[in-house]
Amino acid sequence: MSLKISPARSLPTAVDAIVLAVASDKCSDRALKARGLPVTALRTQGFTGAADQVAFVADSSGRSAIVIGAGASKSIDDNRLRRIGAQAVRSGSRSKRLGVDVLDLIEAGSASVKASSIRALAEGLVLGSYRFTEYRSDPKPAVLTAVSVAGVTGKAATDAFTQGLKIGEAQNFARDLVNRPGGDLTPAALAQEAVKLARRERLTIEVLNLAQIRRQKLGGLLGVNRGSTHEPRFVKITYTPRAPKGTLALVGKGITFDSGGLSIKTGEGMMTMKMDMGGAAAVLGCFAAIRAVAPKCKVVGYMPMTDNMSDGDATRPGDVLTIRNGTTVEVLNTDAEGRLVLADALSLATEDAPDAIIDLATLTGAVEIALGGRIAAVMSNNDAWLDDLETAAESAGERMWQLPLPADYRSFLDSDVADLRNISKSRGGGTITAGLFLQEFVGDNIPWAHIDIAGTAWSDADDAETTKGGTGYGVRTLLEVARTFTPRRR
Ligand code: BES
Ligand code: MN
Ligand code: ZN
């Protein structure tokens, strides 16, 4: 990356613009004047310190100043700092060197600014400066080349800052993977990215090719791959710390393009379907920063990879597949392919008997109908595990909301010919019945949570730390879950 983001004790003099933040309750004329800010210019722009406001002015020494509204002091948390970081680099993108002086928002005047806030701010700076230019013939270089952040002093603060940069970069890596076209990022290419990552981060990796996937009897993955000319892959990647305290399994859906198969999607419905490996991207993103976060637990990632196409021998509606764990599935809609490949992956994860499992998948269009594009759905077989996950997601600033897994809905998946059908007999609740389908492949005594990211893996608009296109949703939560993981007795 050409942008250099560095921590500093105080604001360097050699910057082209500075970024300050003002809380709405500290935005009186007197308070602004005391900070050397031009009251009239700010008021002309309607500046009140309300959250998300941005004003461009000059400070008392004539230097360009970007003033960001932080909202009410008592509402300022790490998520606000992450947002401000992103807003700083977005609004400062036309300057060459930027000085960011916003940490006074947290415990004003104190030398010991909270580490988690510094981490969140650093994440925001990296996330807000994301650009995807790989497919431009003539990408204009970014104007902004250096960002210096004042108020970061001492080892704890600098470490938190560096960790935040790493986490942001890991999420940007996931975004790159999601944004790459399905015709380029084939299953083999995605697996190759995982191999490169494993080398770089000193992780163990196993990549199964078609013959090995056959030998392992991954019938769901094979069934989905049957209509494709590209070989599938199954990637297992492992981080092992010294003296691991428990094992966390992460499963990610890796459909590199979802045409729907023979149950083909509309042209419109396919336009964003390169994002259908967003679950695998989030898992890989987590591994990209895992050394920086250094969890005490072992972390194992499982990623089934294929596209879902409709070549001459593609799986037909009515075909029956046998999943890794022996369960047979009648495929009545080839567009409900995610659950088929995840069934194999969850079976394999279960065989390894981890202390807990999380899967992430762009699984159902229904989740966006239910919760919109900014909130993922989460379902679980274990309340304590769900609680841990929700706590982690909250501090990571990724929103999710629980949906139930009602036992009586399970009968909607009863097949006339096989153990299960892959779509519900009932019209509504598509996100829930998909979750119930997955649950069939998880060991009863393993705490498991399923996150449906079909709405959140992609964004149609830029907004602070969120970028248009692939969002990298899930990377931060997974890292926070791993960082705080403690295996529970069960
Ligand atoms: N990959 C899609 C889900 C999706 C939809 C992701 C929109 C992102 C945006 C998934 O494989 C799918 O096609 N699901 C079907 C399930 C249905 C056939 C039961 C759906 O949601 O329509
Ligand atoms: Mn599909
Ligand atoms: Zn899909």
Side-chain angles (χ1 to χ4, degrees):
M1 211 179 9
S2 56
L3 178 61
K4 192 164 160 30
I5 303 175
S6 16
R9 177 174 296 273
S10 54
L11 213 52
T13 41
V15 291
D16 305 301
I18 58 166
V19 180
L20 305 169
V22 177
S24 54
D25 47 302
K26 292 178 179 139
C27 197
S28 64
D29 289 5
R30 260 188 59 193
L32 291 173
K33 250 183 238 142
R35 295 184 63 175
L37 290 169
V39 176
T40 318
L42 282 167
R43 299 296 184 223
T44 316
Q45 294 179 49
F47 189 81
T48 61
D52 296 335
Q53 285 185 340
V54 178
F56 294 84
V57 296
D59 69 4
S60 48
S61 50
R63 182 166 53 177
S64 295
I66 299 166
V67 188
I68 297 178
S73 292
K74 63 177 186 329
S75 74
I76 297 170
D77 56 7
D78 294 352
N79 292 335
R80 175 54 51 188
L81 264 290
R82 189 181 300 103
R83 240 182 121 73
I84 288 174
Q87 286 163 337
V89 288
R90 281 187 189 283
S91 51
S93 66
R94 284 178 300 276
S95 306
K96 199 162 148 28
R97 294 160 305 175
L98 203 59
V100 175
D101 191 6
V102 299
L103 283 170
D104 54 346
L105 287 173
I106 304 289
E107 296 172 25
S110 148
S112 61
V113 177
K114 260 173 65 195
S116 63
S117 311
I118 294 183
R119 186 168 62 211
L121 177 68
E123 287 168 6
L125 294 167
V126 177
L127 294 169
S129 52
Y130 177 76
R131 307 196 316 155
F132 183 67
T133 55
E134 219 173 300
Y135 292 84
R136 302 272 187 205
S137 59
D138 184 18
K140 286 185 229 63
V143 176
L144 185 61
T145 57
V147 178
S148 172
V149 181
V152 188
T153 53
K155 178 159 163 48
T158 348
D159 285 354
F161 192 85
T162 313
Q163 195 176 85
L165 296 181
K166 282 276 170 51
I167 294 172
E169 281 157 20
Q171 188 171 343
N172 284 350
F173 168 67
R175 289 171 171 179
D176 275 342
L177 293 177
V178 171
N179 287 335
R180 278 182 59 189
D184 273 2
L185 195 71
T186 59
L190 181 54
Q192 194 49 41
E193 290 295 333
V195 169
K196 273 188 355 208
L197 169 71
R199 284 206 194 109
R200 198 168 64 232
E201 299 293 318
R202 290 168 288 115
L203 305 165
T204 324
I205 189 162
E206 260 175 83
V207 181
L208 304 185
N209 62 20
L210 177 60
Q212 294 164 312
I213 288 167
R214 284 202 180 114
R215 245 174 277 142
Q216 293 296 318
K217 297 190 158 53
L218 306 189
L221 180 55
L222 290 166
V224 175
N225 182 252
R226 190 161 161 170
S228 173
T229 54
H230 292 289
E231 268 203 23
R233 291 288 184 270
F234 189 94
V235 172
K236 181 174 171 183
I237 187 167
T238 306
Y239 157 83
T240 314
R242 257 187 279 279
K245 293 197 179 64
T247 301
L248 169 65
L250 305 176
V251 175
K253 171 177 173 181
I255 299 292
T256 53
F257 182 75
D258 183 10
S259 75
L262 287 175
S263 312
I264 197 164
K265 290 184 183 294
T266 60
E268 169 101 18
M270 266 182 233
M271 277 172 22
T272 57
M273 279 306 129
K274 65 177 182 182
M275 72 148 114
D276 214 16
M277 30 59 72
V283 172
L284 289 175
C286 168
F287 281 96
I290 206 144
R291 293 264 170 216
V293 170
K296 303 243 182 349
C297 60
K298 183 170 168 178
V299 186
V300 189
Y302 302 82
M303 287 154 283
M305 300 171 182
T306 178
D307 49 0
N308 183 26
M309 304 296 279
S310 53
D311 196 15
D313 195 33
T315 292
R316 304 139 189 83
D319 282 355
V320 175
L321 307 176
T322 304
I323 305 300
R324 163 80 186 181
N325 75 350
T327 305
T328 58
V329 179
E330 184 188 12
V331 178
L332 290 170
N333 189 321
T334 63
D335 198 11
E337 85 297 341
R339 61 197 75 183
L340 301 172
V341 304
L342 290 168
D344 284 326
L346 290 167
S347 301
L348 283 172
T350 293
E351 286 171 33
D352 292 343
D355 294 292
I357 305 178
I358 298 175
D359 79 70
L360 288 98
T362 48
L363 205 60
T364 66
V367 77
E368 192 165 0
I369 308 296
L371 297 172
R374 298 179 186 188
I375 304 174
V378 59
M379 288 142 269
S380 177
N381 63 356
N382 182 300
D383 287 342
W385 178 228
L386 177 69
D387 208 61
D388 289 350
L389 172 56
E390 285 177 330
T391 304
E394 169 99 31
S395 38
E398 292 182 320
R399 293 152 79 189
M400 54 181 71
W401 194 257
Q402 185 190 4
L403 292 182
L405 291 171
D408 57 318
Y409 283 24
R410 166 61 184 77
S411 61
F412 300 152
L413 296 169
D414 286 344
S415 161
D416 295 335
V417 300
D419 299 340
L420 280 174
R421 45 190 274 151
N422 81 326
I423 50 163
S424 170
K425 282 178 205 172
S426 170
R427 212 176 70 85
T431 303
I432 291 172
T433 46
L436 284 166
F437 183 96
L438 297 182
Q439 187 169 23
E440 294 292 311
F441 302 90
V442 178
D444 285 336
N445 54 351
I446 305 179
W448 157 77
H450 157 58
I451 311 176
D452 193 333
I453 59 169
T456 48
W458 188 266
S459 171
D460 295 326
D462 287 333
D463 177 34
E465 77 269 24
T466 305
T467 44
K468 200 167 168 168
T471 60
Y473 179 97
V475 172
R476 299 201 309 265
T477 296
L478 291 181
L479 283 165
E480 184 64 11
V481 169
R483 195 178 70 81
T484 57
F485 186 71
T486 39
R488 290 175 184 279
R489 284 220 329 275
R490 56 170 203 268

